[in-house]
Amino acid sequence: MKLNSLISRLAATLLLGVGSAFSQAIKVDATLPDYKPVSGISGKISSIGSDTLNNLMTFWAEEFKKIYPNVSIEIEGKGSSTAPPALIAGTAQLGPMSRKMKAEEIDAFEKKYGYKPRLVGVSIDALAVYVNKDNPIKSLTLQQVDAIFSTTRKRGGQNITTWGQLGLTGEWASKPLSLYGRNSASGTYGFFKENALNNGDYKSSVKEQPGSASVVQGVEKELGGIGYSGIGYKTSGVRAVPLSDKAGAIEASQEMAETFTYPISRYLYIYINANPANGPDPVVKEFIRFVLSKQGQQATAKDGYYPLPAKKAAEFLESSGAK
């Protein structure tokens, strides 16, 4: 299997161990179907899109190649916004995205092919707000999160720049917040902007990172660090802070994310090109079937993300045309 670079593969391998350490309590629905291989599957798959899904795509690809050694898979994860152009141009068969396509992206695809791309939910993410493991903050409201990261503060409240404004005392009272986030090519950047900041504007002081792991690494290194990233990138050096909206503080747990009780839960997606008359290409069809199987969702749990319930996986399989 070819990856975009040796570095990304090594990073993914290391993070598999990290994800495994944090996925011990993650449960996979026992009623998910086992994957049953079929004959005659070979060829090449190119995946271009989300960095959030980059490691998970790598794990799925490695397991898929064990079943089908004649399949070659290339993975590039530079951000969700790179997926639609690649699908439209035909340079990718898989377009992983951590957000849904925008109307104009769907329109551009439909203009070329005469039908819409197929959206396939592949896992559940609790988009976490991370702080350094030694930070004593107990929880944050979405209004506070907005006031931390946004200049427009559409949820109200005053500008927050120090940990003392969030109730911390002693040496923490005057400690400034050091903000980490994703760059604008990222679906996570857009999702957080829409759902946490109510489509407000980010502060210029947010240190925009090219990847999810970089956000977490920044927060690990700075005692006053705070940033947002997928739950699959959690490490021992950070804590995911419980968040509250109208209810009390809610942890970024499997149960709270699966029921979308955690306020910034989301599905992670793969978009595919599937002609309504013929369905997806055979190799793409089998890849989607594998991802939505028990074995595929076990890989999801190993990476620290939350697997789909069997009922939801069946719905996505049906709508993908890969059933």
Side-chain angles (χ1 to χ4, degrees), residues 14-70:
L14 288 171
L15 280 168
L16 175 58
V18 171
S20 298
F22 286 96
S23 64
Q24 292 174 0
I26 297 177
K27 297 179 181 178
V28 178
D29 192 333
T31 63
L32 280 161
D34 286 313
Y35 180 73
K36 296 178 181 178
V38 298
S39 61
I41 299 301
S42 62
K44 176 181 174 181
I45 301 177
S46 175
S47 170
I48 297 176
S50 167
D51 166 82
T52 298
L53 275 159
N54 203 32
N55 294 324
L56 189 47
M57 291 297 296
T58 301
F59 304 149
W60 281 329
E62 289 175 344
E63 292 302 313
F64 190 72
K65 187 166 172 56
K66 289 177 185 176
I67 302 170
Y68 301 110
N70 292 327

Side-chain angles (χ1 to χ4, degrees), residues 217-230:
Q217 289 165 5
V219 176
E220 277 185 336
K221 291 175 182 176
E222 285 200 64
L223 199 57
I226 183 169
Y228 60 89
S229 189

Side-chain angles (χ1 to χ4, degrees), residues 22-23 25-28 56 122-127 231-232 234 251-258 262 265-268 297 300-301 303-309:
F22 286 96
S23 64
I26 297 177
K27 297 179 181 178
V28 178
L56 189 47
V122 290
S123 64
I124 299 170
D125 180 26
L127 183 54
I231 196 66
K234 185 179 179 183
E251 291 189 8
S253 67
Q254 181 175 8
E255 180 185 359
M256 294 297 101
E258 193 175 291
Y262 178 73
S265 303
R266 61 179 175 173
Y267 288 115
L268 300 177
Q297 292 301 297
T300 299
D303 195 29
Y305 288 108
Y306 302 131
L308 296 171

Side-chain angles (χ1 to χ4, degrees), residues 165-230:
Q165 290 173 276
L166 294 166
L168 298 191
T169 58
E171 63 176 328
W172 284 91
S174 60
K175 190 178 292 295
L177 289 93
S178 182
L179 312 181
Y180 287 86
R182 294 298 313 283
N183 57 21
S184 59
S186 161
T188 297
Y189 172 103
F191 185 89
F192 191 79
K193 175 182 171 74
E194 180 180 350
N195 292 276
L197 311 185
N198 275 358
N199 275 320
D201 297 326
Y202 282 100
K203 290 179 177 177
S204 59
S205 57
V206 179
K207 292 179 274 293
E208 295 187 356
Q209 304 298 305
S212 302
S214 301
V215 173
V216 175
Q217 289 165 5
V219 176
E220 277 185 336
K221 291 175 182 176
E222 285 200 64
L223 199 57
I226 183 169
Y228 60 89
S229 189

